[in-house]
Amino acid sequence: MALAAERLRTRLADSFPSAWRAIAARVPRHAFIPDTVWIEDGDGPVPIRRGDDPERWLDACYADRPLITQLDDGDDSGRGYITSSASKPSIVADMLQAAEVRPGMRVLEIGSGTGWNAALLAARTGPDRVTTIEVDPSLADHARRSLGAAGWRVAVVTGDGTRGHAPGAPFDRVLSTAAVQRVPSAWVEQTAAGGQILTPWGTTFHNGVLARLAVHGDGTASGRFTGNAAFMWIRGQRRPHAVVEEQVLPEHDYTEHRTDLHPYEPIGDFDARFAIGLRMPTGAGEVVVFDGDRPGDPNFTVYLMAPETGSWAEWRITPDSAGAYRVRQHGPRRLFDELCAAYQWWQRLGRPRRDRFGLTATTGGDQTVWIDDPAHPASETDRH
Ligand SMILES: C[S@@+](CC[C@H](N)C(=O)[O-])C[C@H]1O[C@@H](n2cnc3c(N)ncnc32)[C@H](O)[C@@H]1O
């Protein structure tokens, strides 16, 4: 087992960017992974238990895939929603590289999870420079124990990371491993001038970019979007889970029309979907669900749902309706119409890639998304 772990650890470390390779080799991932984890197999989470199959568990610890470490906030009677995971190692490596962490820096990590990323950061910065915050007490305990057992001097705080950690401020880097829709003002306040905030960022319509913000020392932080990495939402900014059977009811009235727009164009295109998310009105929760979209299944339905208003749109795709797909809409928000308007806006702009967009966040809690430079807003300022 020890030899196998050594071999796997070396292989994983070799996949890291050169600046992080020696560090990854010093921080064995399996020392942070709980004895029971789950992997996604398409039909839901499948458990892997170290006690049942130690080799499979060890292989999973070093595979380039996320490992689910908690479901439903630890509630065994839940629906199986993922609430914590050990992020995919290549994404961890990308984020560490993007954060430009150097020895001696003070780093605040949001979302301790297993503690592995905090250990990597500590191996880079040196002892007592990293603080990590975890909202879930049992996960925080796990991270604290694992970091302590491996000898990494990291402060693990149990609490809400959207508040940052004022006693440890100012930080040179704030690095979140949970996605936000609004950059918390505390992160801007608690980062030193010249420092950086790196966080997964998304909208109710799209989750999958990183915001890399330079902190200016005048109460603002700004920078472009980059990357392709979907993280779980930070607690406090989670969207309600929408289940088609609960939202789309037989007794609902609806309007119906046909469209030649195939979902592949606005939803299948990463940049289009990102941009559409910037324009869909915020605060009402759009959720996209594909139903019946399996390999080889030519029939499928896309649902857009805004659970807070009860609105939904159903977009039915069948081969015999090519070019005239059926759309039904219910409720005060016309979600399909909103999507089309946002898609047309993006097309009129010349279909810009996501990295032409950026974000400015302030200590007052305002957030503005812009295109090309902060003088050209791409969405209304989202006021605190
Ligand atoms: C993708 S996991 C983090 C992975 C972790 N960095 C690692 O190395 O294993 C995201 C974590 O963020 C935590 N989280 C969610 N909301 C939070 C909040 N408001 N404050 C602190 N942690 C939060 C979740 O409980 C979860 O453990």
Side-chain angles (χ1 to χ4, degrees):
M1 184 85 164
L3 255 182
E6 188 57 39
R7 188 176 43 80
L8 291 167
R9 184 206 313 197
T10 307
R11 197 180 63 190
L12 180 63
D14 285 348
S15 71
F16 269 54
S18 53
W20 286 91
R21 227 164 264 162
I23 285 167
R26 287 170 59 204
V27 189
R29 191 169 186 244
H30 75 276
F32 293 86
I33 303 291
D35 291 347
T36 300
V37 291
W38 294 261
I39 50 171
E40 276 284 10
D41 83 337
D43 280 330
V46 177
I48 301 180
R49 296 190 180 86
R50 184 179 199 172
D52 294 346
D53 193 342
E55 273 176 38
R56 183 160 180 243
W57 177 87
L58 188 65
D59 280 344
C61 291
Y62 287 96
D64 191 26
R65 63 185 307 169
L67 292 176
I68 301 162
T69 52
Q70 190 194 59
L71 297 167
D72 305 305
D73 299 329
D75 173 0
D76 293 341
S77 62
R79 285 180 186 260
Y81 293 129
I82 299 167
T83 48
S84 188
S85 65
S87 312
K88 188 175 170 178
S90 53
I91 302 274
V92 171
D94 287 351
M95 277 189 79
L96 290 171
Q97 179 81 349
E100 297 176 328
V101 176
R102 291 189 294 277
M105 280 186 169
R106 298 176 62 84
V107 180
L108 177 67
E109 184 201 31
I110 316 297
S112 319
T114 62
W116 186 54
N117 193 45
L120 292 165
L121 288 165
R124 177 80 171 161
T125 59
D128 303 322
R129 310 301 286 172
V130 176
T131 303
T132 180
I133 310 184
E134 172 57 56
V135 72
D136 185 291
S138 65
L139 297 173
D141 283 349
H142 172 93
R144 203 174 282 120
R145 274 197 311 275
S146 306
L147 285 158
W152 297 109
R153 280 169 41 194
V154 168
V156 180
V157 177
T158 307
D160 178 2
T162 62
R163 298 186 178 170
H165 184 62
F171 299 97
D172 300 299
R173 297 287 182 267
V174 171
L175 206 154
S176 178
T177 58
V180 297
Q181 299 193 20
R182 305 178 62 96
V183 176
S185 54
W187 299 358
V188 184
E189 269 160 33
Q190 295 174 20
T191 308
Q196 193 196 112
I197 299 169
L198 183 69
T199 182
W201 188 90
T203 62
T204 48
F205 197 68
H206 182 274
N207 173 353
V209 293
L210 293 174
R212 188 160 168 247
L213 311 178
V215 177
H216 305 300
D218 61 354
T220 68
S222 62
R224 301 258 181 152
F225 295 109
T226 163
N228 176 357
F231 279 76
M232 69 193 56
W233 294 117
I234 206 159
R235 259 196 231 183
Q237 296 191 18
R238 281 181 191 166
R239 311 308 308 166
H241 287 290
V243 178
V244 174
E245 292 71 31
E246 292 170 5
Q247 297 289 319
V248 183
L249 302 178
E251 63 268 28
H252 281 168
D253 56 3
Y254 52 79
T255 58
E256 184 173 308
H257 72 279
R258 301 263 161 186
T259 180
D260 61 2
L261 184 65
H262 189 281
Y264 179 77
E265 296 173 46
I267 297 178
D269 183 308
F270 190 104
D271 291 314
R273 187 167 175 173
F274 168 76
I276 289 167
L278 303 177
R279 299 292 281 196
M280 299 280 276
T282 53
E286 302 80 23
V287 182
V288 185
V289 175
F290 288 81
D291 198 22
D293 186 15
R294 306 251 158 186
D297 181 354
N299 303 304
F300 66 97
T301 307
V302 174
Y303 290 96
L304 308 174
M305 293 179 280
E308 288 94 335
T309 59
S311 306
W312 54 258
E314 182 197 76
W315 191 355
R316 179 80 186 135
I317 308 302
T318 58
D320 58 1
S321 61
Y325 308 112
R326 192 191 74 199
V327 174
R328 290 177 172 169
Q329 300 189 84
H330 164 84
R333 289 186 61 189
R334 312 315 272 174
L335 292 169
F336 181 82
D337 299 347
E338 288 179 12
L339 176 137
C340 287
Y343 181 56
Q344 284 159 10
W345 165 79
W346 178 71
Q347 287 182 304
R348 280 197 306 276
L349 281 178
R351 304 170 68 91
R353 281 172 49 93
R354 59 193 172 278
D355 54 12
R356 278 185 56 198
F357 293 92
L359 178 150
T360 299
T362 72
T363 47
D366 292 347
Q367 173 173 286
T368 309
V369 176
W370 37 263
I371 178 159
D372 295 330
D373 74 75
H376 299 114
S379 61
E380 300 277 300
T381 296
D382 195 358
R383 299 225 178 267
H384 191 51

